[in-house]
Each structure stands twice: as C-alpha cells, then as structure tokens.
Amino acid sequence: MEILNLSLPATNRFASNYLEQSVEIQPFFHYRYNDLQEDMKRKQELNNRSFPRIEVARHIEGFMKGFPTSEAVKKSIEKLKQANCLVVIGGQQAGILTGPLFSIHKVISIIKLAEQKERLLGVPVIPVFWIAGEDHDFQEVNHVFVQNQHNVDKWIYPEKVHQKAMVSDIKLNQDLCLSWVQNLIKNFGETEHTNGLLEFAETQISRSTTFVDFFANIIMELFKDYGLLIVDSGNKDFRQLQKEFFTQQIEHHDVITFSLLEQQKQIEKKGFPNTIDVNERAANLFYYDQRFNERILLEYDRENDCFVGKSGAISFTKEELLSLANDNPAVLSNNVVTRPLMQEWLFPTIAFIAGPGEIAYWAELKLVFEHFHIKMPPIVPRLNITFLDRSIETDLTELNMNLTDVLSRGTKQEKETFLAAIKDQELEQLFSTTIDQLLNHYKLIEMKTEQLDRGLLPMLKKNENYLLKEINFMKLKLEDTVKLRHDVLLNKYARVDLALRPDDSPQERIWNIFYYLNQYGPNFIDEIMTGSYEFDGRHKVLKL
C-alpha cells in the first residue's frame, strides 16, 4: 500500500503550531514529541514514580475477558505487569459502529507508536485505548454519516436516551440495532464483502449489552492481533482503582481550577483562544445521581463551603465527598480537566496520542500537573489519514487538481471556475437585460399605481416578484441544459468532494470504517497496519 506524506494545516491554529514544533507554544508543554532524547528523559521520570501496574493489569484482564482476544492481547497484559513497562495511550468516545474514521486512526496510531517506542527504548511498551464510557453526550455517539448520491446523510440510531446517562450504562436493544445496522450496510451498496460484513456486525451485536460493549467488540475484533488493550472509564470496577486519586482531586480542587485559569491566561497572552470552558467555581468532578439518572457536574460553593450541582438540587460537604471517593467511587467521574490527571496517575505513559482539539486543551493543563509534581507526557499528534481510491485518483488527474488543495478546501473553487467557463454568455446577457428592463418598467408602473391607488402597491410588488421568479426559473433550466452537456466532468468534481472532502470536512470526520470494510473486505485493517508510519505531523494519504 503506497503512502503519501503531505503537509497540511491542522483543524485549529494552536495544533498547527504544535505540528511545526513552534517555539511560541513550547512553554506550554513539558516535552517535545518525536525526539528520542525527550523520550529518554520521560522514561527516567517514569522510573522515579510508582504506578499501580499490577492492579491495573488485573482489572484490564478481567474487563477484557468478554471481548475478542488473542495471544498478542494476553502478552500485552503480562507486559503491563512488568515493573519497567510503559504505555502509549489515547482515547475516544464509544461511537456507534466506532463512529467517524478518526477513532480508527487513533487506534492505529496508538498501536504503531507503541511498536516504535518498544524498539527504540528496549522496554515493554503496550498500546492502550481509553474508552470514554463515562461521557454522557449520547448525541455525539448515536449516528453515522452515509453517502446519498452526491450528498452526506446523517443516520441516527433510532433509540432515544433522554437522561444524561453515561454511555457505559446505556443498554443496547439488539434487535433494533441489528435492523438499523443491516439497513445502513445495505445502503453502502452490495459488494462481494457485504454478506460477510453483515455477519460480522450481527456477531458483535449479539455479544453486546451496552453501547460501550458494541464499540469494544468491534475494535477488539479488528485489532486483537496487534496486542491492543482497552479500558472503559465508565466501568465501576475501574473506578475502584481511582479512590486515592479522587481524594487528591477533591482535596486540591481549588488549586486545580486556579492552576488551569492561570495557564489559560498565559495562552491568551500568546494570542490563542482557550479550549476548556471553566470558571472559578469549577470542581472538575461529576456525580452520578440515581434519582435523576444522570451525571451531574459539581461546582464549589465558596460561600457555603460545599459542592453543589443541578442548581443546588444536590449538595455535599467536602467530608461527604471524600467519603464517597473512598466508599463508593463508582458515583464519581472525571471531566476534561481531571481525566488526563487520572490517566497519568494510573498508567506509566511514554506518549499520549492526541487529536488537534486535545493538543489545545492539554496545553492548558501544564500548571495543574506541576501542582502535583508530575509532568505531562509527550503529546504525539495522532496520524491524520485519508484513504484515496484509485478511481478518485484518476478523477483528480483528469480534473488536473492538486491533492493537497482538495484535502484542504475541496473542489468548490475549481468547480466554480469551470462553471463560469462553460456558461452561455449570450444567454446570460439576454436574461440580464430582460430582468433590468422588467425592473425599470415596474418602477414606472409603481409610480403610476401610487397616484391611482396606493392600496394596490403590495399586489404590484407580489406580481413583480412572481415574474422575476419565473424568469429565474427559466434561466436555471437553461443553465442546467448547458451543465448537462458537461455532466460527466461535473460528476467527477462531486465524486472527489464526496470521497475526500465530504460536506466540506476532512474525510476522517465524516465517513465510517464500515463503508471501507464493505468496499475492500475483512483484510482492510491488516493491509493498513502493514504500512510504515512516521509521527512527523504530516498527513498520510493511503492509496487503495
């Protein structure tokens, strides 16, 4: 599989600066990425810290028993128990059918970087994927985008979830899910791989009782042979391992928020917007209330010296919250500020795989980490990948278009230039003259109407608009006739956009891996994994 490396800007300005290793943003991080000397420093730092490796490994071993496994997975679990082991880690929400492609790209990045770090550092390095099962935004994970001719359609999983329940707790209606997935896969179009893909989906659904199960079963079936380990942040047993760290977060909640706000001020001074929405009241902790069946963000009420949520409907003293952390940590969960801390307390992380948005918000956490006398891990940009089908590559050649330009902004500019070139200029002039004459005559009629009967002016305006609408309708019909003569070429623009820049967005943010599994078969992931990838911040185009 041929891989092209292109230089493209990230989706936000801060991440673009990070990809370039700009001096301007280096003060917001503890390490530079893609630097062996920095890795050695990080390795030494981790050697001087203690981690619950055995406890975490045993939890993962138990948690993963219900998911597809392999000898490589078992080997990774044993590696994680070793005193000198390190991990490459990254995470994502549990999107249905794994969600947009960037979730798959993140998994690939974690596995590939772990392999590289193990070779370079000479110690066990395990790939770990952190499923954000504690997240409660169901609307972000309940849909898949599919092609509809030259458009993008959003297919929403039909079951409703009204409360702010954690995704880990959302049950999967297997019959409903199977019917929905079958229709979706059939919408991709039948290929020699469709029946096998339908069987694959049915198997994963039959194994799953929750949305996280469904996500994890698919991910592990696709990547089990590469030693990937998974954790679910919403798993109640996993949070039993976090008691001590929840306690630290509660004890230091005010300093965490203060440090975050101070770091944000420094970033603002450099002219960058802040990513994390926070105020001085933030406790950076969620409480799961069974009465409301939802996950509630806590704030600190300084005046009454207590932690409150849901507009005061729930309230805890500091002592009560500490008791919960010790006796029932399953009801507590992290937010965007404290999740990275929890991750770094639990795992000896040699690298964190981050998307563009994550790079920006990790920068805001440096002083938070320093308060606890630890450093942020090297933040490594995940692989940005675009799949390029040979037929689309042929279209690009025939349109004489640059691949980098298309990936950055689509074909709109070139298509408009082409449309302008094929316009019938005589026809344009005829319609333009007709419309001008109509408007001028109606001005004269309006003046006369005002003298005779002002009450008829609205009717006159309506009549004028009707005629303009009819003229424009005919104009568009004739323009469509001209376009029809160039239909083959215009369809190429549409195909290129749909494949590489759908809905004016990067491919990885719209399309789902199941489309490609249907097109290219069950070995598609293995073919991708044979590639050699450099974590150099450049965009990877995989020619299929």
Side-chain angles (χ1 to χ4, degrees):
M1 182 179 289
E2 184 181 356
I3 302 176
L4 303 178
N5 290 290
L6 304 179
S7 295
L8 293 177
T11 53
N12 69 67
R13 187 165 61 90
F14 190 93
S16 291
N17 275 263
Y18 189 78
L19 292 179
E20 298 165 3
Q21 294 287 277
S22 163
V23 175
E24 192 175 21
I25 53 92
Q26 279 304 314
F28 306 132
F29 299 90
H30 289 113
Y31 297 101
R32 295 187 306 276
Y33 78 94
N34 203 22
D35 185 322
L36 183 58
Q37 295 303 313
E38 296 287 272
D39 285 344
M40 298 304 292
K41 290 179 190 176
R42 175 65 174 176
K43 181 183 173 186
Q44 185 58 47
E45 182 209 347
L46 295 174
N47 286 341
N48 294 330
R49 290 171 54 193
S50 61
F51 296 91
R53 287 178 170 89
I54 299 295
E55 294 87 345
V56 170
R58 285 174 179 164
H59 165 76
I60 291 175
E61 189 172 23
F63 171 70
M64 292 188 66
K65 277 183 179 176
F67 302 115
T69 191
S70 67
E71 286 303 314
V73 168
K74 295 172 185 175
K75 187 176 179 182
S76 287
I77 291 171
E78 292 308 309
K79 282 183 181 180
L80 191 57
K81 296 175 183 177
Q82 296 179 32
N84 65 338
C85 80
L86 304 172
V87 306
V88 172
I89 195 168
Q92 197 62 47
Q93 295 160 298
I96 193 163
L97 291 178
T98 72
L101 281 170
F102 62 73
S103 294
I104 297 296
H105 299 169
K106 193 170 280 188
V107 176
I108 294 168
S109 302
I110 292 166
I111 293 169
K112 284 295 185 180
L113 189 62
E115 292 174 353
Q116 292 180 22
K117 297 300 183 189
E118 186 165 285
R119 288 195 300 270
L120 290 169
L121 299 174
V123 295
V125 181
I126 303 101
V128 178
F129 189 86
W130 177 296
I131 303 170
E134 65 191 6
D135 193 272
H136 60 257
D137 195 345
F138 184 63
Q139 306 307 316
E140 288 193 15
V141 300
N142 72 341
H143 59 272
V144 171
F145 293 102
V146 298
Q147 296 184 13
N148 177 11
Q149 295 182 332
H150 296 319
N151 298 312
V152 176
D153 274 358
K154 185 177 184 179
W155 281 40
I156 300 174
Y157 179 73
E159 194 165 8
K160 304 296 182 185
V161 175
H162 299 291
Q163 297 89 1
K164 291 183 178 179
M166 292 189 295
V167 176
S168 289
D169 292 337
I170 297 175
K171 299 300 181 184
L172 189 75
N173 182 322
Q174 292 182 342
D175 292 336
L176 182 66
C177 185
L178 179 59
S179 175
W180 184 79
V181 170
Q182 286 173 336
N183 288 333
L184 187 141
I185 291 174
K186 288 173 183 175
N187 187 78
F188 292 151
E190 188 168 353
T191 71
E192 61 183 304
H193 308 297
T194 301
N195 288 335
L197 186 60
L198 287 166
E199 290 176 11
F200 171 85
E202 185 174 0
T203 299
Q204 308 321 317
I205 292 169
S206 68
R207 292 172 171 172
S208 307
T209 58
T210 70
F211 265 76
V212 167
D213 289 345
F214 189 31
F215 178 90
N217 274 310
I218 296 172
I219 290 293
M220 288 312 303
E221 192 62 62
L222 294 176
F223 293 100
K224 64 178 186 246
D225 292 332
Y226 302 97
L228 180 70
L229 301 185
I230 56 174
V231 293
D232 171 18
S233 63
N235 182 276
K236 293 176 174 58
D237 293 332
F238 188 43
R239 290 210 288 283
Q240 290 293 327
L241 300 178
Q242 302 173 27
K243 290 181 178 182
E244 173 192 344
F245 308 123
F246 277 135
T247 297
Q248 289 196 50
Q249 288 176 18
I250 294 164
E251 292 281 9
H252 297 265
H253 71 92
D254 51 348
V255 184
I256 291 174
T257 300
F258 175 80
S259 300
L260 171 64
L261 291 169
E262 286 299 304
Q263 186 72 54
Q264 287 185 331
K265 289 176 185 175
Q266 294 181 26
I267 291 172
E268 282 181 331
K269 286 179 182 177
K270 293 286 186 178
F272 295 103
N274 288 316
T275 302
I276 300 173
D277 185 16
V278 68
N279 60 54
E280 293 178 351
R281 291 167 54 90
N284 303 302
L285 201 62
F286 283 94
Y287 170 73
Y288 194 81
D289 195 310
Q290 291 182 333
R291 294 173 300 167
F292 303 107
N293 192 27
E294 65 180 71
R295 186 170 172 248
I296 298 166
L297 185 64
L298 298 179
E299 291 189 328
Y300 178 61
D301 182 345
R302 193 175 302 276
E303 184 178 344
N304 296 301
D305 191 22
C306 63
F307 296 83
V308 298
K310 208 171 176 66
S311 302
I314 60 171
S315 176
F316 301 100
T317 64
K318 185 177 181 180
E319 290 69 28
E320 287 171 336
L321 209 54
L322 288 169
S323 293
L324 278 177
N326 185 63
D327 301 332
N328 191 17
V331 299
L332 300 179
S333 59
N334 295 289
N335 78 338
V336 68
V337 177
T338 51
R339 188 204 59 76
L341 268 178
M342 186 64 73
Q343 174 188 290
E344 295 307 308
W345 278 326
L346 292 169
F347 291 95
T349 307
I350 190 64
F352 175 76
I353 294 291
E358 290 169 307
I359 291 170
Y361 82 66
W362 271 79
E364 298 174 21
L365 302 177
K366 186 181 181 186
L367 291 178
V368 175
F369 274 76
E370 288 179 356
H371 170 72
F372 291 99
H373 308 292
I374 58 176
K375 293 181 178 180
M376 295 191 298
I379 309 299
V380 180
R382 67 166 169 79
L383 296 170
N384 286 287
I385 298 172
T386 293
F387 300 131
L388 177 60
D389 186 271
R390 296 290 179 183
S391 64
I392 300 301
E393 187 177 14
T394 301
D395 287 341
L396 282 170
T397 301
E398 292 179 10
L399 294 171
N400 195 28
M401 291 199 65
N402 180 278
L403 178 58
T404 302
D405 291 340
V406 173
L407 294 177
S408 299
R409 54 178 171 79
T411 70
K412 183 178 179 182
Q413 185 176 319
E414 286 77 8
K415 184 180 177 180
E416 287 179 351
T417 300
F418 175 72
L419 287 172
I422 65 173
K423 274 187 176 180
D424 187 315
Q425 298 302 323
E426 183 182 358
L427 185 66
E428 281 288 304
Q429 186 59 49
L430 282 170
F431 274 106
S432 179
T433 301
T434 300
I435 291 170
D436 286 344
Q437 288 176 349
L438 177 72
L439 292 172
N440 288 332
H441 280 90
Y442 261 81
K443 281 182 182 177
L444 296 173
I445 296 171
E446 183 179 351
M447 291 168 60
K448 197 67 177 172
T449 303
E450 194 167 16
Q451 293 173 10
L452 296 172
D453 187 350
R454 289 180 56 85
L456 292 175
L457 286 173
M459 185 182 293
L460 178 69
K461 194 64 181 176
K462 185 176 180 180
N463 181 252
E464 178 186 3
N465 289 335
Y466 174 78
L467 291 175
L468 287 171
K469 181 181 177 182
E470 288 300 309
I471 291 169
N472 279 312
F473 173 79
M474 198 63 221
K475 179 173 177 283
L476 290 173
K477 283 295 180 184
L478 289 168
E479 286 177 351
D480 286 343
T481 301
V482 175
K483 287 178 184 178
L484 199 59
R485 297 175 187 170
H486 304 275
D487 195 45
V488 173
L489 202 60
L490 289 171
N491 280 335
K492 292 183 188 297
Y493 283 111
R495 282 201 303 270
V496 168
D497 268 336
L498 201 62
L500 304 181
R501 189 78 184 175
D503 216 18
D504 200 27
S505 296
Q507 179 195 85
E508 65 177 14
R509 302 202 70 84
I510 301 296
W511 299 140
N512 174 270
I513 191 63
F514 273 66
Y515 170 81
Y516 296 90
L517 294 172
N518 186 59
Q519 288 293 114
Y520 301 103
N523 297 323
F524 181 64
I525 293 294
D526 292 333
E527 290 173 16
I528 296 170
M529 295 300 288
T530 61
S532 178
Y533 301 93
E534 291 298 321
F535 289 82
D536 53 9
R538 291 193 291 172
H539 193 95
K540 314 301 176 188
V541 177
L542 276 57
K543 291 189 175 184
L544 306 179

